[in-house]
């Protein structure tokens, strides 16, 4: 009877941890970030060795711009599961935002090794390469991400930025257009394509994209008027 009672109690705690973790994820997706943190904290108080919950809490902390605390959560997840590819990728994101480019490269490279079929860490590593002014290396990483996920809008936008740095303006236009097609209809993408069109001496197309950029971010209007 005692064994059955202990097993029943353990099952109840496990169910509660799962419920708190799932509610935290739901709240995170609804952008109720502080409530999500509360749920993840409660789950970890019940069981402080839940790697997935550390990883999820770290992602919410990233959105809250608590990058150092997020990195600590991802590190804890990795300590609990040393081959946790997603946690390496996410810690790469945190380290990149903290300006630790070498650490970010190392984490993304580890994530690539653990998840070679996942486009996301290739895209992340490419962003660091671009920040380090290595556009050729960035281009390779973004291209690999697109091979793995042909509808990866962010990777197209990022590859277009790398192509701009390499002065391959026609290719950049094509990638910015693909980014828009696959859901990246943002002011930054329209501004990027406008710059490519300007470099290609197509001012009418550049102006049309500037108008689109302003539609998405009215704060750009004064800067556009000064040009």
């Amino acid at each position: 009877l005692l064994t059955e009672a202990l097993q029943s109690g353990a099952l109840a705690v496990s169910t509660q941890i799962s419920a708190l973790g799932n509610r935290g994820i739901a709240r995170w997706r609804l952008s109720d970030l502080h409530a999500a943190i509360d749920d993840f904290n409660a789950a970890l108080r019940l069981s402080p060795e839940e790697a997935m919950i550390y990883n999820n809490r770290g992602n919410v902390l990233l959105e809250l711009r608590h990058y150092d605390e997020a990195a600590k959560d991802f590190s804890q997840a990795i300590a609990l599961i040393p081959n946790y590819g997603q946690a390496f990728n996410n810690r790469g994101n945190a380290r990149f935002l903290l300006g630790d480019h070498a650490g970010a490269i190392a984490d993304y490279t580890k994530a690539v090794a653990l998840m070679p079929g996942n486009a996301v860490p290739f895209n992340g590593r490419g962003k660091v390469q671009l920040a380090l002014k290595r556009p050729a290396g960035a281009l390779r990483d973004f291209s690999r991400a697109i091979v793995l996920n042909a509808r990866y809008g962010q990777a197209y936008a990022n590859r277009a930025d790398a192509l701009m740095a390499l002065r391959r303006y026609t290719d950049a236009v094509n990638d910015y257009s693909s980014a828009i097609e696959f859901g990246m209809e943002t002011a930054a993408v329209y501004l990027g394509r406008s710059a490519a069109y300007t470099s290609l001496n197509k001012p009418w197309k550049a102006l049309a994209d500037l108008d689109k950029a302003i539609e998405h971010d009215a704060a750009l209007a004064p800067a556009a008027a000064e040009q």
Side-chain angles (χ1 to χ4, degrees), residues 64-161:
L64 290 168
R65 300 186 179 183
H66 300 323
Y67 305 137
D68 191 55
E69 292 303 309
K72 290 176 183 176
D73 267 358
F74 298 133
S75 293
Q76 184 60 32
I78 291 165
L80 291 165
I81 301 179
N83 290 326
Y84 198 164
Q86 289 287 356
F88 276 105
N89 177 77
N90 295 335
R91 191 173 68 179
N93 293 338
R95 285 177 164 174
F96 179 47
L97 291 165
L98 287 165
D100 179 8
H101 292 156
I105 288 279
D107 277 346
Y108 288 131
T109 299
K110 181 66 172 179
V112 164
L114 291 168
M115 307 184 298
N118 191 317
V120 173
F122 285 102
N123 182 63
R125 190 171 66 183
K127 289 191 297 182
V128 186
Q129 300 257 43
L130 200 53
L132 291 170
K133 301 189 184 304
R134 302 172 185 168
L139 183 64
R140 287 192 295 272
D141 274 336
F142 296 137
S143 294
R144 182 60 181 162
I146 289 165
V147 166
L148 291 168
N149 181 357
R151 301 180 65 84
Y152 196 168
Q154 184 65 70
Y156 281 106
N158 292 336
R159 189 171 71 175
D161 290 341

